[in-house]
Amino acid sequence: MTQSNECMLLSGHMNHSGTTRWNNTSIHHNIRWFKQLLILFFSLLSLTTLYAQDLQGEITGKVTMVDGQPLRAISVSLLESNRQTLTDDEGNYHFENLNAGSYTIKLQILGSKEVRLPVEVKTGENTTLDYQLTEENIQAIQEVVIMKNTNRFSKKESGFVARLPLKNLENPQVYNTVTKELFQEQVAVDLGSISKNVPGAGIPMIANQGRVTFRSRGFETEPNARNGVAGAAFSVIDPVNLERIEAIKGPSATLFGKSVASSYGGVYNRVTKKPYNKFGGEVGYVGGSWSYNRLTVDVNTPVNKDRTALFRLNAAGTFEKSFQDLGFTNSLAIAPSFSYQINDRMSLLLDVEFNQAKGTSVVRFNPYTGSNKTQSIADMKFPYYKKFLGDDLAYETQMMNIFAQLNYKVSENWTSQTILSRARSTINGYISAINGKTDSTASAQVMVGTTSFIATNIQQNFIGDFRIGRFRNRMVVGLDYYNNSNHFDRYHTNTKVFNFVHPSADFRVNQNIIDALTATSAFRKENNSDNTYAAYVSDVFNITDQLMVMASLRVDRFQFNGVYDITTGEIKGGLSNSGTQSGPYGQTAFSPKMGIVYEILKNKVSLFGNYMNGFNNVSGVDINGNTFRPEYANQLEFGVKADIFNHRLVGTLSYYNIRVDNILRTNPDDVNYSIQDGTQLSKGIEAEITANPFDGFNIVAGYAYNDSKYTNANPSVDGLRPALSGPANMFNFWVSYRISEGTLKGLGIGGGGNMGSSSYQTNTQTAKVIIPSYKMFDLGIFYDQPKYRVGLKFDNITNEKTWSVRLTPQAPARFLGSVSLKF
């Protein structure tokens, strides 16, 4: 063997056939040699990297508001290197691996001038460059997730209520907020439990497919606004992705339209969680009475190195049985969210809600009222714990809401906001109610089939904050398009009469009974749709620094496309003999809004008044052929708002008066026609406080008084309080104490309650069904640490029997236990 062969084969040996044979000693020797070579290579690489880093520097900084609160999600650019990032929840930003030299930091903050700051980077050093706003920036305040070192349950500043850079004290409209910090402490796992903290919300009404509605100033109000635009959901809405609930009070059609998002009582706006600028999250479990099991996940992460693309995923799976003898609900919610700072002026937010549920309808009882008497549901002997319908009569719902928002900073004074919202809900299966036939018998009515709802909302807003001479103006100019499309393919069946006072032991309405009845049942097979085109403008004009007025107007064009009969394949014709309209028609409405605010103590106490409007489109003609006009609700309100003692006491007290005009009522001269001169009044007082008297001690309380009545209506109800308007008096409170120092820091206890006076399910001159007054109390214990949280909750500890306005029995005493791991 030649020397070259020996070198090529290293320490191997050549056998007689010319092949190489390796011995163990040679193999071990070569492995050691190879390891030493790798160690040398990576050592040199590390030294090179460290040396290169020593030749580079870093920039670290913090962006804060005038009062020192951190500014989150602010665009920070490094001009010379074409790099960009976002501040985190603490207002911090960071650039690394920078060559020594001079740089310029650029800050783009909505509602403020562009800021450019020179900075010098030195080799091997971390240069700190902080910036504090020199003037108050309300848009920045509205983006603060939670204020530090102050009232943790108060988050009043919102960019959705007025769609303007307007503080709560500057806003002539009343609204309540419920933050996620509060409903986490209360182990509130559904919207009904969260709404206990809203003055005047009352006992939540659960619809037959899991949808929840509330009372507000004597009117039914649904949580169908999402991030300030229509986000209808005719199904279970899981709160796993909620940052807070905003209960906006009074007719609000000027900005929110008359779509499903708004009622005469106001708007319930669901504000969703947004991605943030670091990795983190939480995994939680809640278990409790009646086989309640709930698993939640919240994961957030930056997507790119510069942290300008952020992703967050919230999800929940919930499984529970009814407290009654039958009934269940299983649901799955998935809510991803993605934000992207496209450049220093433009940002994009994508938000999705997906929910799928299977369950049985809650009890909805419609008592027999033919005996013309006053009676209470508590005395009717209708079983509180019995359902009468089997678990095989279940419904399935699916909901998906898609939300996209593009913000563009046009200038230091103007911002463009483009919004697209798409909502879809479907309901399949069986939905039921129980209708009384006599004082002791009833029949089950079951709706079988499919219903679907699709809504599209497109908005373009231009939001300005500018001066004309010395007078400040804050203005929004917007265009709004809303399309609604509905599909119905369902049967309405009625079972045989049964005795609910003394039912047979084995009585149960099941799927076989209902399916056998559908062939001879009434049905609804149709499609309908409508379009709304609107434009609005709202301006807040500062007469002085403490006195401001608001003027707003909406022009709304509603176009109903008619009802398409699936069975005949035709659009149903225009007017019937009684003047009702089923064919296409159009209607134009004007919705004004005005307000005045005077801050008697700047940024602390303000007096306010407002005139607000809502409307509903009305179709048809009267006996003389006159076309009906839109129905209008006009509110006058005045009150006082306070935010004092460094945010430790935040509250509102107001008086309102709402008058509804153009209500249809039966024509007394011809019962086949209607006349449009009906009126309804709703007036009352609302009070709310959120207090933090000393560290760790928190109080949330509210009171609502409402006096509603028909003032010009059909004789059967004229002068009476409307049924389903809820109690006239309602009170809510939650008081908690959390140890803020020492070895037991984070341990706390809380308790609260909800009380309401009696109300009506039916209220006519001849028949009344009374819902008794109620007093419900809850108790909670919790231990909150940076890495985990544990909670125990006891709802309705006195086992009070209560009913919603649909006479749905509410759950008795319930226990929930929760544990969450944070990372």
Side-chain angles (χ1 to χ4, degrees), residues 509-765:
V509 179
N510 59 38
Q511 184 177 335
N512 291 334
I513 294 174
I514 298 302
D515 289 348
L517 294 171
T518 55
T520 57
S521 299
F523 59 85
R524 183 183 183 185
K525 295 178 179 290
E526 64 184 41
N527 298 329
N528 63 64
S529 64
D530 55 75
N531 294 290
T532 301
Y533 311 87
Y536 50 85
V537 59
S538 180
D539 182 46
V540 173
F541 181 83
N542 277 73
I543 299 173
T544 69
D545 187 47
Q546 294 175 249
L547 177 64
M548 59 207 76
V549 293
M550 170 187 281
S552 314
L553 179 66
R554 180 187 189 93
V555 180
D556 191 283
R557 177 63 181 177
F558 175 76
Q559 190 68 46
F560 182 64
N561 299 323
V563 177
Y564 175 78
D565 192 323
I566 297 174
T567 57
T568 64
E570 298 178 350
I571 298 289
K572 292 184 179 180
L575 293 171
S576 69
N577 292 333
S578 60
T580 58
Q581 175 82 33
S582 58
Y585 77 95
Q587 199 165 66
T588 301
F590 296 88
S591 180
K593 174 183 177 182
M594 293 178 284
I596 183 170
V597 174
Y598 178 63
E599 292 188 76
I600 55 178
L601 294 175
K602 182 65 177 175
N603 293 326
K604 288 182 172 60
V605 180
S606 65
L607 301 176
F608 69 91
N610 67 57
Y611 168 83
M612 298 176 59
N613 173 271
F615 64 90
N616 271 314
N617 295 107
V618 180
S619 65
V621 298
D622 63 18
I623 195 171
N624 298 315
N626 298 314
T627 302
F628 291 137
R629 303 177 303 279
E631 181 183 280
Y632 284 102
N634 297 295
Q635 172 183 277
L636 286 174
E637 182 177 19
F638 59 87
V640 58
K641 295 183 180 183
D643 189 340
I644 55 179
F645 306 126
N646 191 27
H647 306 295
R648 286 188 179 272
L649 178 60
V650 180
T652 303
L653 174 65
S654 70
Y655 167 82
Y656 63 87
N657 188 306
I658 302 172
R659 177 187 169 97
V660 185
D661 292 298
N662 295 347
I663 300 175
L664 295 183
R665 67 185 183 99
T666 303
N667 189 329
D669 298 325
D670 189 337
V671 296
N672 294 313
Y673 282 86
S674 297
I675 55 177
Q676 197 178 24
D677 64 351
T679 57
Q680 178 183 341
L681 290 181
S682 178
K683 57 184 179 180
I685 296 171
E686 286 185 346
E688 175 207 26
I689 64 164
T690 306
N692 177 219
F694 53 87
D695 290 348
F697 186 59
N698 291 279
I699 302 170
V700 176
Y703 171 73
Y705 167 73
N706 174 258
D707 177 18
S708 290
K709 62 181 177 180
Y710 293 113
T711 49
N712 188 29
N714 292 329
S716 61
V717 297
D718 195 31
L720 299 180
R721 183 177 180 84
L724 312 184
S725 58
N729 290 277
M730 286 179 272
F731 175 66
N732 65 278
F733 74 95
W734 177 261
V735 179
S736 65
Y737 177 69
R738 174 192 302 252
I739 298 174
S740 56
E741 294 181 353
T743 57
L744 295 179
K745 180 180 179 180
L747 178 65
I749 185 170
N754 292 79
M755 286 150 273
S757 57
S758 61
S759 58
Y760 296 99
Q761 187 267 350
T762 300
N763 190 23
T764 69
Q765 301 289 358

Side-chain angles (χ1 to χ4, degrees), residues 35-51:
K35 284 182 176 179
Q36 292 171 354
L37 185 63
L38 286 177
I39 291 172
L40 178 62
F41 173 77
F42 284 111
S43 297
L44 291 173
L45 182 63
S46 299
L47 289 172
T48 303
T49 303
L50 290 172
Y51 178 72

Side-chain angles (χ1 to χ4, degrees), residues 193-480:
S193 299
I194 293 171
S195 72
K196 290 181 178 181
N197 301 288
V198 177
I203 299 293
M205 189 202 79
I206 307 297
N208 292 348
Q209 70 276 29
R211 190 174 88 251
V212 62
T213 65
F214 314 104
R215 307 303 101 186
S216 182
R217 299 191 170 182
F219 300 95
E220 181 176 299
T221 306
E222 300 188 36
N224 280 340
R226 181 171 177 270
N227 294 329
V229 297
F234 296 93
S235 62
V236 175
I237 300 176
D238 197 292
V240 68
N241 67 326
L242 291 187
E243 186 68 39
R244 67 182 180 274
I245 286 287
E246 296 176 344
I248 306 168
K249 298 302 185 71
S252 304
T254 308
L255 291 180
F256 293 93
K258 67 95 197 173
S259 65
V260 292
S262 173
S263 83
Y264 296 156
V267 176
Y268 267 72
N269 182 38
R270 311 185 323 265
V271 180
T272 60
K273 298 175 183 176
K274 306 298 187 295
Y276 52 93
N277 187 7
K278 64 180 179 181
F279 178 78
E282 186 173 312
V283 177
Y285 170 77
V286 181
S289 305
W290 313 302
S291 300
Y292 187 90
N293 290 278
R294 176 176 171 84
L295 181 66
T296 60
V297 176
D298 181 358
V299 179
N300 184 90
T301 183
V303 177
N304 60 354
K305 183 179 179 181
D306 290 335
R307 299 175 181 248
T308 55
L310 310 172
F311 178 77
R312 188 170 187 175
L313 177 66
N314 284 272
T318 306
F319 309 89
E320 61 178 316
K321 293 183 179 179
S322 170
F323 69 91
Q324 296 174 309
D325 59 343
L326 297 167
F328 70 94
T329 303
N330 301 330
S331 65
L332 173 67
I334 302 173
S337 182
F338 173 77
S339 67
Y340 181 45
Q341 190 72 32
I342 300 172
N343 55 46
D344 61 350
R345 288 180 175 268
M346 184 182 295
S347 64
L348 174 68
L349 173 66
L350 297 175
D351 211 8
V352 177
E353 280 179 325
F354 175 82
N355 188 286
Q356 188 165 289
K358 182 176 182 179
T360 53
S361 294
V362 298
V363 171
R364 177 186 178 184
F365 181 46
N366 300 307
Y368 174 69
T369 57
S371 54
N372 294 334
K373 62 182 180 181
T374 298
Q375 52 188 333
S376 170
I377 178 62
D379 301 325
M380 288 183 183
K381 298 182 180 180
F382 187 86
Y384 197 85
Y385 295 95
K386 196 168 183 63
K387 204 165 178 302
F388 294 113
L389 285 87
D391 283 351
D392 56 349
L393 292 175
Y395 62 81
E396 294 183 359
T397 62
Q398 189 178 92
M399 176 268 286
M400 185 169 69
N401 288 344
I402 301 172
F403 176 89
Q405 178 174 316
L406 184 70
N407 290 330
Y408 179 71
K409 183 178 179 181
V410 179
S411 68
E412 65 181 81
N413 300 118
W414 287 93
T415 300
S416 169
Q417 182 187 77
T418 307
I419 300 173
L420 169 65
S421 178
R422 177 86 164 170
R424 175 183 177 272
S425 296
T426 60
I427 309 163
N428 295 291
Y430 303 82
I431 295 175
S432 61
I434 298 176
N435 298 323
K437 299 301 181 181
T438 68
D439 290 343
S440 60
T441 62
S443 171
Q445 182 182 64
V446 181
M447 185 175 66
V448 188
T450 299
T451 308
S452 63
F453 308 91
I454 299 177
T456 303
N457 195 187
I458 301 174
Q459 284 187 9
Q460 174 60 52
N461 296 310
F462 294 98
I463 302 168
D465 189 348
F466 57 94
R467 291 184 180 271
I468 300 177
R470 65 182 181 87
F471 299 105
R472 184 184 184 186
N473 288 263
R474 281 163 284 184
M475 178 181 289
V476 58
V477 179
L479 299 173
D480 191 0

Side-chain angles (χ1 to χ4, degrees), residues 57-64 74-87 91-96 98 101-109 113-121 126-132 344:
E58 301 177 359
I59 302 175
T60 301
K62 185 170 186 175
V63 185
T64 57
I74 297 302
S75 172
V76 184
S77 302
L78 195 63
L79 297 184
E80 288 75 11
S81 62
N82 196 28
R83 292 171 62 180
Q84 184 179 1
T85 189
L86 295 173
T87 56
N92 299 314
Y93 70 91
H94 183 215
F95 292 105
E96 60 183 0
L98 301 174
S102 298
Y103 292 86
T104 304
I105 292 287
K106 182 170 75 170
L107 305 177
Q108 285 284 15
I109 305 171
K113 295 181 180 179
E114 176 185 290
V115 178
R116 298 196 179 207
L117 304 171
V119 60
E120 192 75 22
V121 174
N126 186 353
T127 303
T128 300
L129 182 63
D130 297 334
Y131 181 76
Q132 185 173 24
D344 61 350

